[in-house]
Amino acid sequence: MPKVKKAAPETNLSDPQYYFNRELSWLEFNNRVLHEGVDTRTPLLERLKFIAIFSSNLDEYFMVRVAALKEQIGAQVSNLTPDGRSPQEQLDALIQRLRPMVVQQHDHFEQKLRPQLTAKGIHILNYKDLNEEQRSYLRSYFQEKIFPVLTPLAIDPSHPFPYISNLRLNLAVIVKNPDTGEKRLARVKVPNNLTRFLSFPRELHLNQNGGLSIWTGIPIEQVIAHHLEFLFPGMDIQEYHVFRITRDADLEVQEDEADDLMLAIEQELRKRRLGGSVVRIEVESSTPAAVRKVLIQEMGLESSDIYEVEGLLSLKDLMFFMTLPLPELKDPPCIPVIPPRLLRVSKLIDRNSSQRNQEDFFSVIRQGDLMLHHPYHSFTASVQQFITQAAHDPDVLAIKMTLYRTADDSPIIKALIAAAEREKQVTVLVELKARFDEENNILWARKLEKSGVHVVYGMVGLKTHTKVTLVVRQENNYLRRYVHIGTGNYNHKTAKLYTDLGILSCAEDVGADLTGLFNYLTGYSRQQFYKNLLVAPVNLRNRIVALIQREMEHCQNGNAGRIIAKMNALVDPQIIKTLYQASQVGVQIDLIVRGICCLRPGVQGVSENIRVISIIGRYLEHSRVFHFHNNGEEEIFIGSADWMGRNLDRRVEAVTSIKDPSLATNLKEMLGIMLADNRQAWELQADGSYIQRRPGSNEPEQNSQQIFMNMALKSTEIV
């Protein structure tokens, strides 16, 4: 039974004690990622992958979030976060929490994973472990392949401290003049266009149990370090130390002052390549104090900005080992399936385009809305093929879509170009401000414009994050609108790695809503009413609050109140406060939040009816689903928006209501499967810690992602 308990009048739901810090919550998310690299139930190479993801995530965290905190501190910003912390207090807390995580990561790789790799015939060697034949090979390799690329840079009064590139490995080298005895510091940059791990030819692999190893190699920085005499002839090499820096990489574009947004962003990208201020230095633990002092002074940092590493730096490069052909050390392959209703269409894809057949994509959609669940359903055979067929169908008059992030070899972009060449009206909103995809999006925007596509760059002050497509087709004397609304990007590569949902529909009211949305995006429309869509920043915030409050009213009237919401992040204070109010009157709330969660669950009298889990697994959980019980007249939504201030107020987002009862039932079943997960789910505690669920002694393992794979396989034949 619900724990119905009204809050005492003096309860202040804005009190900082009821909120977790956003930056620290993100660190807890990345710690759960790290755990996948530690968990022995995870296949060995997959554990390396998670170690690499942890590192890559951390790089971006420093480039954006830590950099922002440092800027606030420098600007003497005194505003407090909802949890009551100043920028300096946040920075101090995250450094304290992060250091043991970094130590754990490197210790686990060096002490656990490297020996286990060796036992499987994968030898990541140190130079001191090489035999003479291997050293001779590397000497020749260095002279032929590496030496010509290197440029040693002296550091002395006539040679100022050189520019250090973001996220690149470097060697700080101390050399001595044998004639004068004078010691000098030099820097050698490890080229980023050469492979990090150099493999020996098969004849030089180590023997393992009487046979050849699977892979034997060495990090490139060690090869460079042991041939420094070629770079500093006549000098005595005293010592060398590997280091790496991280710079502020966020863009600052004043849109309202930019005459040409694309030009403004290109200028900012050039600044990013040069790099902003340094926010972190990673050094080997053996690096002496004198070298550290030089790095700190030249980078304008403090000792707290240095992170010591035992062993290899830049463990994100471990992703390389996922390319090894060792399926027994990886997750079993999962081949996306074609949704059953599209099987007939897939068999017609390669037929001559002059052959007309009633069984095409459009006829399938006319039979009823179609729900897609990636990566279990093939993105290529569904969303991509829908857009490709629209591009080539002579009855299609117009295609409109939004692009936030897409692949550098996107078949969807090629389809849109083909559509424009066939004189269809093609409009694409390309979000140039998608962080770290700006350059790729500029490239595609130019190609689309050259082909005749009408390209829009977004709205001033807003990022267009929504994932929608609208196709207008002439059918007899009637124009019919076909739509795709999704939770993920139009990217065929990430669609294999992220879990996302999408719906294909030709419902008239949904098509009308999307027409209004595109007019809002491309013209001067100020449309405020949408029949099915919740649109940010127009009505999404108010509608979400109203839906939560409706559940409260049902409870207050003696009925049940129930909310299940799945998202990537929950940060917005107003939404959190409303959820607290709902919990206080007895609404049962289950939240599936992959990453940041600033809501504190399980607090008596405030959030005791709220439970929060996070699912971290083989695929990145990326779909957003919102279910409201509504006293039995349930409503369920999917869309692109998390419950964060940026999504609700500073981005264009679209969330759609799922009207088809069978699809709504499927979504509720999906949410139930995730809530029952006891393999990849972590439960958030009232103190901010997460506890990983484990099956009981007589309880079967429930891996939600594996269950979804099995469900997809059972529904149809494998592609």
Side-chain angles (χ1 to χ4, degrees):
M1 293 293 293
K3 300 175 183 177
V4 181
K5 183 177 180 180
K6 293 187 177 181
E10 66 272 12
T11 301
N12 176 14
L13 295 180
S14 297
D15 192 311
Q17 68 175 308
Y18 300 133
Y19 297 84
F20 292 130
N21 181 264
R22 169 182 174 155
E23 313 305 343
L24 295 176
S25 182
W26 185 91
L27 286 181
E28 295 307 319
F29 156 68
N30 210 30
N31 192 47
R32 298 193 293 280
V33 173
L34 176 59
H35 185 272
E36 290 297 309
V38 174
D39 194 331
T40 56
R41 297 176 296 174
T42 306
L44 182 57
L45 291 185
E46 302 289 344
R47 289 156 67 186
L48 280 189
K49 178 189 75 175
F50 280 107
I51 294 289
I53 293 172
F54 174 88
S55 289
S56 181
N57 286 349
L58 206 55
D59 287 345
E60 185 170 332
Y61 181 70
F62 271 92
M63 287 189 289
V64 178
R65 303 304 307 176
V66 174
L69 286 175
K70 283 179 166 286
E71 288 179 3
Q72 292 174 36
I73 293 168
Q76 297 184 331
V77 173
S78 58
N79 295 346
L80 302 183
T81 53
D83 67 306
R85 297 177 194 255
S86 68
Q88 185 64 60
E89 288 171 333
Q90 292 180 79
L91 185 60
D92 292 343
L94 73 86
I95 289 173
Q96 183 178 6
R97 177 68 185 99
L98 179 59
R99 288 194 184 280
M101 292 166 56
V102 173
V103 170
Q104 180 190 10
Q105 176 205 19
H106 286 274
D107 282 353
H108 186 75
F109 172 68
E110 295 293 339
Q111 305 301 322
K112 300 291 185 181
L113 295 184
R114 282 185 79 158
Q116 291 178 37
L117 290 168
T118 299
K120 296 295 184 181
I122 302 170
H123 302 273
I124 307 173
L125 301 178
N126 293 317
Y127 197 86
K128 63 182 179 61
D129 300 322
L130 304 183
N131 59 39
E132 287 304 317
E133 287 182 305
Q134 290 168 332
R135 295 187 181 203
S136 176
Y137 169 80
L138 285 180
R139 188 178 184 86
S140 298
Y141 187 94
F142 175 84
Q143 291 177 299
E144 295 174 12
K145 305 290 186 181
I146 302 176
F147 174 71
V149 183
L150 301 178
T151 304
L153 295 176
I155 302 172
D156 56 34
S158 60
H159 298 89
F161 194 86
Y163 174 80
I164 308 296
S165 300
N166 187 32
L167 302 181
R168 305 303 182 203
L169 292 175
N170 300 270
L171 297 178
V173 184
I174 298 177
V175 298
K176 185 175 78 171
N177 186 321
D179 297 329
T180 65
E182 184 180 24
K183 292 183 180 181
R184 290 291 189 183
L185 179 65
R187 173 260 192 161
V188 178
K189 178 181 178 180
V190 177
N192 64 306
N193 55 356
L194 299 178
T195 183
R196 171 75 188 281
F197 296 101
L198 302 179
S199 176
F200 287 106
R202 294 293 297 174
E203 62 271 17
L204 295 180
H205 282 201
L206 294 179
N207 287 329
Q208 179 73 10
N209 297 326
L212 289 176
S213 73
I214 295 169
W215 185 91
T216 298
I218 186 171
I220 189 173
E221 65 270 22
Q222 293 193 23
V223 178
I224 296 172
H226 285 83
H227 296 89
L228 289 172
E229 69 272 14
F230 289 95
L231 295 170
F232 303 98
M235 302 292 283
D236 292 336
I237 309 299
Q238 299 294 292
E239 53 189 286
Y240 67 88
H241 306 280
V242 183
F243 72 95
R244 180 177 183 259
I245 69 163
T246 310
R247 293 183 178 273
D248 178 352
D250 214 9
L251 301 186
E252 296 181 6
V253 181
Q254 300 298 324
E255 296 179 67
D256 52 349
E257 299 177 6
D259 295 326
D260 186 323
L261 180 60
M262 183 181 289
L263 179 61
I265 291 178
E266 286 182 314
Q267 291 171 345
E268 286 297 313
L269 285 172
R270 282 192 285 273
K271 292 179 184 178
R272 176 189 283 173
R273 292 189 194 100
L274 293 174
S277 57
V278 179
V279 295
R280 174 181 62 164
I281 305 177
E282 296 167 276
V283 300
E284 294 177 310
S285 58
S286 60
T287 305
V291 174
R292 298 184 191 207
K293 182 178 179 181
V294 171
L295 294 177
I296 289 173
Q297 289 177 341
E298 295 295 339
M299 304 293 177
L301 297 177
E302 300 176 0
S303 58
S304 60
D305 297 311
I306 281 195
Y307 286 78
E308 289 187 0
V309 170
E310 289 283 353
L312 297 178
L313 276 67
S314 191
L315 293 187
K316 71 176 185 178
D317 296 330
L318 294 176
M319 195 66 78
F320 161 80
F321 292 96
M322 286 297 290
T323 64
L324 297 180
L326 298 169
E328 67 277 13
L329 301 182
K330 303 177 186 178
D331 286 325
C334 176
I335 303 174
V337 304
I338 301 176
R341 285 173 54 193
L342 295 180
L343 282 172
R344 172 66 178 158
V345 175
S346 70
K347 295 175 182 177
L348 298 172
I349 287 174
D350 294 328
R351 290 192 177 183
N352 189 291
S353 60
S354 64
Q355 290 182 300
R356 307 302 300 277
N357 193 300
Q358 295 301 312
E359 199 70 44
D360 60 14
F361 245 90
F362 303 109
S363 65
V364 170
I365 297 173
R366 287 195 297 273
Q367 294 166 17
D369 292 353
L370 177 62
M371 183 69 69
L372 305 170
H373 192 188
H374 310 299
Y376 318 110
H377 288 154
S378 169
F379 180 86
T380 300
S382 57
V383 178
Q384 183 176 306
Q385 188 56 33
F386 166 62
I387 296 170
T388 300
Q389 184 163 332
H392 292 85
D393 189 314
D395 294 329
V396 168
L397 304 180
I399 303 174
K400 302 180 183 184
M401 72 180 300
T402 58
L403 286 177
Y404 189 72
R405 301 186 194 276
T406 190
D408 52 8
D409 57 347
S410 172
I412 286 179
I413 296 284
K414 295 173 184 176
L416 294 172
I417 291 173
E421 291 172 346
R422 286 166 172 76
E423 299 188 349
K424 302 182 189 302
Q425 298 296 311
V426 183
T427 303
V428 180
L429 192 146
V430 179
E431 182 47 76
L432 298 183
K433 304 184 294 294
R435 183 180 288 141
F436 300 121
D437 275 298
E438 302 96 343
E439 195 163 6
N440 193 46
N441 286 0
I442 287 174
L443 175 66
W444 281 123
R446 287 202 168 119
K447 288 186 177 181
L448 288 166
E449 284 183 322
K450 287 180 181 179
S451 69
V453 173
H454 181 64
V455 179
V456 181
Y457 299 137
M459 306 178 70
V460 173
L462 299 173
K463 281 187 180 181
T464 303
H465 187 249
T466 183
K467 296 88 168 59
V468 293
T469 301
L470 173 66
V471 173
V472 182
R473 190 171 188 259
Q474 180 76 52
E475 296 178 359
N476 298 321
N477 295 320
Y478 178 75
L479 288 182
R480 192 187 301 270
R481 289 174 284 204
Y482 295 84
V483 307
H484 173 264
I485 302 174
T487 69
N489 298 307
Y490 291 109
N491 187 319
H492 67 287
K493 292 182 177 177
T494 57
K496 298 175 183 178
L497 306 172
Y498 296 5
T499 73
D500 273 303
L501 292 162
I503 187 168
L504 290 165
S505 175
C506 62
E508 181 57 33
D509 51 359
V510 178
D513 274 359
L514 270 195
T515 298
L517 177 59
F518 275 106
N519 290 340
Y520 169 72
L521 292 172
T522 63
Y524 292 114
S525 167
R526 297 181 62 83
Q527 182 166 330
Q528 299 294 306
F529 174 77
Y530 296 89
K531 190 169 184 179
N532 281 283
L533 292 183
L534 310 184
V535 176
V538 178
N539 66 348
L540 177 58
R541 174 185 287 280
N542 291 339
R543 289 285 290 123
I544 292 296
V545 170
L547 289 166
I548 298 171
Q549 291 174 337
R550 187 178 64 185
E551 296 301 314
M552 295 170 57
E553 292 171 4
H554 288 312
C555 268
Q556 290 167 329
N557 292 330
N559 299 310
R562 181 87 168 103
I563 298 170
I564 307 174
K566 178 181 186 292
M567 65 200 81
N568 298 334
L570 172 56
V571 175
D572 186 75
Q574 182 190 10
I575 298 293
I576 293 174
K577 184 176 180 180
T578 309
L579 290 170
Y580 285 156
Q581 292 169 341
S583 171
Q584 289 175 324
V585 300
V587 179
Q588 295 296 303
I589 303 169
D590 280 293
L591 303 173
I592 306 168
V593 185
R594 182 197 75 213
I596 302 168
C597 181
C598 295
L599 177 148
R600 185 186 294 272
V603 177
Q604 187 174 4
V606 175
S607 58
E608 58 201 286
N609 291 315
I610 303 178
R611 295 155 297 277
V612 181
I613 68 167
S614 170
I615 294 177
I616 305 294
R618 173 177 182 172
Y619 301 118
L620 181 76
E621 289 292 338
H622 193 252
S623 58
R624 292 89 166 182
V625 188
F626 313 110
H627 171 253
F628 300 90
H629 182 257
N630 192 25
N631 201 28
E633 297 182 10
E634 297 168 309
E635 286 194 77
I636 194 161
F637 303 81
I638 67 168
S640 58
D642 294 313
W643 288 353
M644 304 177 71
R646 71 183 189 188
N647 298 90
L648 301 172
D649 304 323
R650 301 189 300 278
R651 289 185 173 186
V652 178
E653 306 277 9
V655 174
T656 185
S657 173
I658 303 301
K659 298 297 186 182
D660 186 302
S662 64
L663 298 184
T665 298
N666 290 343
L667 284 172
K668 285 187 291 181
E669 180 185 8
M670 182 190 79
L671 292 172
I673 290 170
M674 287 188 284
L675 290 174
D677 192 309
N678 59 17
R679 168 60 181 88
Q680 298 172 306
W682 297 72
E683 292 190 22
L684 176 58
Q685 308 300 300
D687 63 358
S689 64
Y690 283 81
I691 297 178
Q692 188 177 38
R693 287 181 178 174
R694 296 272 183 160
S697 56
N698 297 316
E699 183 183 11
E701 184 176 272
Q702 302 273 1
N703 181 331
S704 58
Q705 293 187 353
Q706 185 63 52
I707 290 171
F708 294 138
M709 289 182 215
N710 296 339
M711 290 171 63
L713 288 170
K714 290 178 182 177
S715 70
T716 184
E717 64 190 61
I718 301 176
V719 176

